[in-house]
Amino acid sequence: MSNYNFAYLDEQTKRMIRRAILKGLAIPGYQVPFASREMPMPYGWGTGGVQVSAAVLTPEDTFKVIDQGADDTTNAVSIRTFFERTAGVETTTATCDATVIQTRHRIPEEALQEGQILVYQVPIPEPLRFLEPRESETRKMHSLEEYGLMHVKLYEDISRHGHIATSYAYPVKVEGRYVMDPSPIPKFDNPKLGDMAAIQLFGAGREQRIYALPPYTQVVSLDFEDHPFEASKADHPCGMCGATDSYLDELIVDDAGGRMFVCSDTDYCEARQAAGHKGKDAA
Amino acid sequence: MTPLLSVQGITKRYGNHIGCADVSFDLYPGEVMGIVGESGSGKSTLLNCMAGHLTPDAGQVVFDTRTDGPRDTITMSEPERRMLGRTDWAFVHQHARDGLRMGVSAGGNVGERLMAVGARHYGDIREQATDWLGRVEIDASRVDDRPTTFSGGMQQRLQIARNLVTGPRLVFMDEPTGGLDVSVQARLLDLLRGLVRDMGLSAIIVTHDLAVVRLLADRLMVMKDGHVVEAGLTDQVLDDPQHAYSQLLVSSVLQV
């Protein structure tokens, strides 16, 4: 612990990242470039999220990390341990106790409160990237608000599959201005992005971009008038806790085609089980 | 009558080399202007300057906009110019690959301009796209196929449909028939002539193929080394060329 500066990064780097975060909060949905540092983990493992977390953490914070909703996967455990060792902050798995939550690909089921910060790990921050490979052109499209191309992607979805088949990283428009990639969260989580009480920060380490949503920001998922946006999930109750309103993972349990559906948010599921809820697959 | 496009003294230099020098002309609504000349004579430079792809060193390109009347498009702000490029203007590239999104279906290609100007109803967009594919003689069953599966002629026709779907008033064409075999060229020209007449389009066509301008253009400019050496009615210039270079050009056409 004493061998590291608080939260691993040096103070100048944290100031630089905080400036990018403040600018991002001032212009919701706008991608702010920042000088991303090498972190002691490979790109794609959450280097952007870790830098943002390091910049916002204070010694009094309680830190939680989730990976696809779970607190106990490799990525979540290693990042949580990383900040236990380098910042010495309290860690928790309970959503309501955490003040800073770093997440990969999910928003917790439990509604977040004012004073909490949700940090997303973002692999590709540019929603237009796969439609327009030139960075110079996508920046121009953002600055001139030329977002027709985003609808071309949704058009292609419908013409090929009969419905909008994009099921994660579903593009949103922020405050009627910037089109934003909400990181690869399932589109089930999209409605939670808007009007959220907590601060949402997005960090992309390899792509060197930070963007943000201040509390209570208007966020609208893009769609067509005759093919409206739909937040979808597997049509089952959770096998462990019986919840019908949470996002589910599908698990293959044997080699005879057996499967069960469980909440992807482990904290939510455990809390419900502790409160006495039981699903059909619970032991 | 106000000219739709009034070009005055357009000059573009590449260092010491002249791209095009002091070109001026007026284009009236419904008129088709041909620009001919050999490779490197500055035809494409001139076209790109007019269409806003290049910034000329001097001169004015005054376009008669729908809302504000004649405006100089070179001093216009970039968002306004790009808006014109999506609505009142169309640009047909020589290579269809430059003007199409090859990874997007034919319907998506045609619909892109509609969505860019705010169409948000899938059924309507698709209906219009299918309608336009029909107008350029592409079978409606190909609407979900990618342009990579199309022949060269079909790609070029798709590019034209994609450009005309928003009902532009001025079309810039850079060698629209280049690289197509003669029978496909003939059909494409036929189609273009029909569309230009039906929609009352104005067009500026850059080409080195005199047959193209003979069929499509009302007026003709001959360019050589960045300068306009002769201009006039198409038949007049082609049947009775005055300038030595125009004479050479006309006499170089192979007779079958």
Side-chain angles (χ1 to χ4, degrees):
Chain A
M1 163 68 203
S2 56
N3 297 327
Y4 290 108
N5 188 37
F6 176 75
Y8 185 76
L9 291 173
D10 62 275
E11 292 304 314
Q12 286 305 317
T13 301
K14 285 195 277 185
R15 281 182 60 173
M16 175 269 293
I17 295 172
R18 285 174 197 144
R19 274 199 294 267
I21 292 172
L22 287 174
K23 181 167 179 181
L25 285 167
I27 318 171
Y30 172 74
Q31 298 167 44
V32 186
F34 79 111
S36 177
R37 299 290 194 252
E38 291 273 346
M39 296 302 283
M41 60 176 71
Y43 288 125
W45 286 43
T47 51
V50 164
Q51 289 179 77
V52 171
S53 294
V56 298
L57 273 179
T58 63
E60 294 77 38
D61 272 319
T62 310
F63 191 58
K64 169 182 163 83
V65 188
I66 50 177
D67 172 8
Q68 311 256 20
D71 290 285
D72 50 6
T73 58
T74 315
N75 198 220
V77 170
S78 66
I79 293 176
R80 194 162 57 225
T81 318
F82 176 76
F83 280 113
E84 276 170 10
R85 285 179 52 200
T86 60
V89 290
E90 287 287 310
T91 57
T92 179
T93 59
T95 303
C96 55
D97 296 338
T99 53
V100 177
I101 304 172
Q102 181 170 335
T103 175
R104 171 172 174 268
H105 305 188
R106 267 321 300 282
I107 297 175
E109 301 293 349
E110 197 180 324
L112 298 182
Q113 306 303 318
E114 282 182 27
Q116 289 184 306
I117 299 176
L118 188 59
V119 178
Y120 295 79
Q121 301 170 196
V122 183
I124 295 165
E126 178 53 71
L128 303 162
R129 175 63 66 239
F130 292 109
L131 303 155
E132 175 54 69
R134 286 167 295 180
E135 175 73 16
S136 57
E137 192 63 20
T138 56
R139 280 199 210 184
K140 194 166 272 177
M141 290 159 83
H142 280 295
S143 65
L144 300 179
E145 240 181 303
E146 285 180 6
Y147 292 130
L149 200 53
M150 209 67 246
H151 274 86
V152 173
K153 177 178 166 11
L154 301 180
Y155 171 95
E156 289 288 286
D157 259 12
I158 302 174
S159 73
R160 198 163 306 157
H161 306 287
H163 61 99
I164 299 179
T166 304
S167 56
Y168 65 95
Y170 193 101
V172 294
K173 195 164 205 178
V174 179
E175 287 288 334
R177 179 59 182 85
Y178 283 100
V179 164
M180 185 186 96
D181 181 345
S183 88
I185 59 172
K187 67 175 168 185
F188 174 81
D189 283 341
N190 267 25
K192 298 184 211 162
L193 287 164
D195 222 24
M196 188 192 274
I199 296 174
Q200 299 173 76
L201 305 175
F202 298 78
R206 178 179 45 207
E207 303 282 326
Q208 313 203 323
R209 294 288 184 279
I210 285 173
Y211 49 104
L213 296 172
Y216 307 111
T217 304
Q218 183 207 61
V219 179
V220 179
S221 304
L222 300 178
D223 59 2
F224 284 103
E225 287 157 16
D226 47 346
H227 286 268
F229 170 80
E230 223 175 306
S232 59
K233 68 183 267 289
D235 190 18
H236 292 271
C238 170
M240 300 302 287
C241 74
T244 53
D245 57 349
S246 67
Y247 190 74
L248 303 172
D249 287 337
E250 181 178 0
L251 305 181
I252 308 293
V253 290
D254 53 33
D255 53 6
R259 61 192 57 196
M260 69 185 280
F261 291 89
V262 286
C263 295
S264 90
D265 187 337
T266 51
D267 171 55
Y268 181 74
C269 197
E270 279 159 17
R272 274 180 58 89
Q273 289 177 60
H277 297 278
K278 235 175 180 182
K280 66 178 179 61
D281 300 314
Chain B
M1 190 157 67
T2 336
L4 183 67
L5 188 77
S6 173
V7 176
Q8 283 144 27
I10 286 290
T11 303
K12 174 76 185 172
R13 285 192 193 80
Y14 299 108
N16 287 327
H17 179 72
I18 291 174
C20 62
D22 202 23
V23 180
S24 304
F25 68 91
D26 286 341
L27 183 76
Y28 288 90
E31 201 178 21
V32 179
M33 164 78 96
I35 302 174
V36 295
E38 60 193 0
S39 297
S41 60
K43 310 183 298 277
S44 296
T45 300
L46 176 62
L47 192 74
N48 284 321
C49 284
M50 292 188 289
H53 298 169
L54 286 174
T55 312
D57 298 320
Q60 281 184 314
V61 178
V62 180
F63 180 73
D64 186 18
T65 57
R66 278 183 221 230
T67 44
D68 307 326
R71 298 267 316 267
D72 184 1
T73 60
I74 290 163
T75 52
M76 200 180 244
S77 72
E78 190 171 13
E80 286 179 297
R81 192 162 51 237
R82 283 172 73 114
M83 193 64 191
L84 265 186
R86 296 201 293 274
T87 54
D88 268 355
W89 288 0
F91 197 101
V92 178
H93 293 264
Q94 175 178 3
H95 303 291
R97 288 173 172 272
D98 297 339
L100 292 172
R101 286 191 193 280
M102 299 309 280
V104 170
S105 70
N109 264 296
V110 179
E112 183 181 345
R113 267 170 85 106
L114 293 170
M115 293 183 246
V117 295
R120 292 291 179 266
H121 191 284
Y122 175 80
D124 292 351
I125 294 167
R126 194 168 172 84
E127 199 174 305
Q128 281 207 52
T130 316
D131 174 49
W132 264 99
L133 289 185
R135 287 208 226 178
V136 297
E137 299 164 18
I138 296 175
D139 196 89
S141 64
R142 303 297 302 271
V143 66
D144 291 332
D145 292 346
R146 292 187 177 193
T148 37
T149 66
F150 286 13
S151 69
M154 282 171 83
Q155 287 181 0
Q156 197 58 286
R157 279 179 277 145
L158 179 61
Q159 193 195 178
I160 288 165
R162 167 184 158 90
N163 272 289
L164 298 189
V165 68
T166 48
R169 293 189 294 155
L170 176 60
V171 186
F172 299 100
M173 295 191 218
D174 190 2
E175 311 254 12
T177 59
L180 301 176
D181 69 58
V182 279
S183 60
V184 174
Q185 268 190 31
R187 277 180 63 197
L188 186 72
L189 287 173
D190 214 33
L191 175 78
L192 274 176
R193 192 160 55 163
L195 289 173
V196 165
R197 296 283 180 271
D198 291 348
M199 298 176 72
L201 291 175
S202 303
I204 298 176
I205 301 177
V206 159
T207 182
H208 52 241
D209 187 343
L210 293 182
V212 172
V213 287
R214 175 77 92 174
L215 270 173
L216 287 176
D218 303 310
R219 280 198 297 148
L220 193 57
M221 289 199 312
V222 182
M223 288 187 75
K224 169 107 174 86
D225 298 333
H227 295 270
V228 176
V229 293
E230 188 167 353
L233 296 176
T234 304
D235 293 348
Q236 185 191 340
V237 174
L238 291 183
D239 294 341
D240 182 19
Q242 301 294 314
H243 190 274
Y245 176 69
S246 315
Q247 291 169 356
L248 176 72
L249 200 65
V250 170
S251 61
S252 309
V253 176
L254 292 175
Q255 300 296 325
V256 188

